[in-house]
Amino acid sequence: MYSSELIKGTLKTIILKLLSDNDKMYGYEITHKVKELTGGKIQLTEGALYPTLHALEAQGILSTDVVNVGNRIRKYYSVTPNGKKVATEKVNEFSEFLDTMIFLLDLQPKLG
Amino acid sequence: MYSSELIKGTLKTIILKLLSDNDKMYGYEITHKVKELTGGKIQLTEGALYPTLHALEAQGILSTDVVNVGNRIRKYYSVTPNGKKVATEKVNEFSEFLDTMIFLLDLQPKLG
DNA sequence: AAAATATACATAATTTTCTTAGGTATATAA
DNA sequence: TTATATACCTAAGAAAATTATGTATATTTT
């Protein structure tokens, strides 16, 4: 687990990237997908996730689809057509920011 | 300029990296160095910088040396022997975090 | 069958970190 | 002489996260 300090400010970007690639996901699923993809190094907390999802929906970047699974509800989120631009911009901005930090801190990133 | 959201959480790492490489710098100098090195893309605000420097000093990670320059004071900060470990750890942790984010967001970082 | 864990949503109080806005003072350039 | 640059600092407020709960159903373990 990284110190929470580092993860600050990346939550929206992570959410928007995952939802851009997966077309619909629900909150609980997002936390588990991120944990899985990062080998447990990034664990989103629900207290941070849900308010952010609500905010993105209120801004028209995400839309929701509530589904009943047995007797439980599940709230699927998707990126709206308008939100797609925002999602791309967020990821691009983060990418540039990373380049700047790599230069500034003189890092050698591991490439896939 | 990057949205301040992205820069959140990187301030300590930036300060500690610069001071690790330069052995002593003063606050005003740090802001200008970062601005110069990033082509204006990252601009530290004094309201964030000074309290952070004070906190790092209080934690024994930085030490200070106040110098008179004409009639003005200048407060030089250096990484303490103990702080060197912390500085290295911070930069290493950020480096790993970068790798994780590059993988998670499927990015192609620009290499030096 | 009972207890524990997993699924799945949510909010509210507090803490952390930063922004914004201000304050003090000297030195230099226009 | 007026503006900009140098150089420090703090305090109020905003933003974003953590921590701690709360509700409820489903499944697995003992």
Side-chain angles (χ1 to χ4, degrees):
Chain A
M1 262 290 277
Y2 299 119
S3 76
S4 65
E5 208 178 15
L6 285 183
I7 304 176
K8 273 182 212 292
T10 61
L11 181 56
K12 276 185 204 161
T13 308
I14 291 171
I15 291 172
L16 291 176
K17 170 63 177 173
L18 279 184
L19 286 174
S20 294
D21 288 353
N22 292 286
D23 123 2
K24 67 172 185 167
M25 293 177 86
Y26 52 101
Y28 191 78
E29 187 185 10
I30 292 174
T31 62
H32 283 257
K33 192 71 182 170
V34 169
K35 187 178 176 184
E36 179 203 323
L37 287 171
T38 65
K41 285 175 198 162
I42 297 180
Q43 270 167 261
L44 307 184
T45 61
E46 298 186 316
L49 179 70
Y50 288 116
T52 300
L53 287 172
H54 300 164
L56 290 171
E57 187 187 5
Q59 290 161 40
I61 295 166
L62 299 180
S63 61
T64 55
D65 181 19
V66 179
V67 169
N68 277 66
V69 178
N71 285 24
R72 277 205 303 250
I73 63 153
R74 190 180 281 175
K75 203 167 170 183
Y76 279 101
Y77 287 87
S78 313
V79 182
T80 63
N82 236 313
K84 297 219 186 265
K85 275 184 301 187
V86 179
T88 304
E89 280 164 18
K90 269 273 171 204
V91 175
N92 286 344
E93 195 195 5
F94 189 81
S95 183
E96 284 176 45
F97 172 66
L98 278 197
D99 290 337
T100 301
M101 289 300 290
I102 287 166
F103 172 73
L104 189 59
L105 301 187
D106 191 28
L107 302 177
Q108 275 85 44
K110 210 177 290 177
L111 300 177
Chain B
M1 262 290 277
Y2 299 117
S3 75
S4 64
E5 208 178 16
L6 286 182
I7 305 175
K8 272 183 214 292
T10 62
L11 180 54
K12 273 185 208 161
T13 309
I14 292 172
I15 291 172
L16 292 176
K17 169 64 178 173
L18 281 183
L19 286 175
S20 293
D21 288 353
N22 292 285
D23 121 7
K24 67 171 186 167
M25 293 178 87
Y26 53 100
Y28 191 78
E29 186 184 11
I30 292 173
T31 62
H32 283 257
K33 193 70 183 173
V34 170
K35 188 179 175 182
E36 180 203 323
L37 287 172
T38 64
K41 285 176 198 158
I42 296 180
Q43 269 168 260
L44 306 183
T45 61
E46 297 186 320
L49 179 70
Y50 288 115
T52 300
L53 287 172
H54 301 162
L56 290 170
E57 188 187 4
Q59 290 161 40
I61 296 165
L62 299 180
S63 62
T64 56
D65 180 20
V66 179
V67 169
N68 279 64
V69 179
N71 285 25
R72 276 204 304 251
I73 62 151
R74 190 179 282 175
K75 203 167 169 183
Y76 281 100
Y77 287 86
S78 314
V79 182
T80 63
N82 236 312
K84 297 219 186 266
K85 274 184 301 188
V86 178
T88 303
E89 279 164 18
K90 270 271 171 207
V91 175
N92 286 346
E93 194 194 7
F94 189 83
S95 183
E96 282 176 48
F97 173 66
L98 275 195
D99 291 336
T100 301
M101 289 302 290
I102 287 167
F103 171 73
L104 189 60
L105 302 185
D106 192 28
L107 302 176
Q108 275 84 44
K110 211 178 289 177
L111 300 177

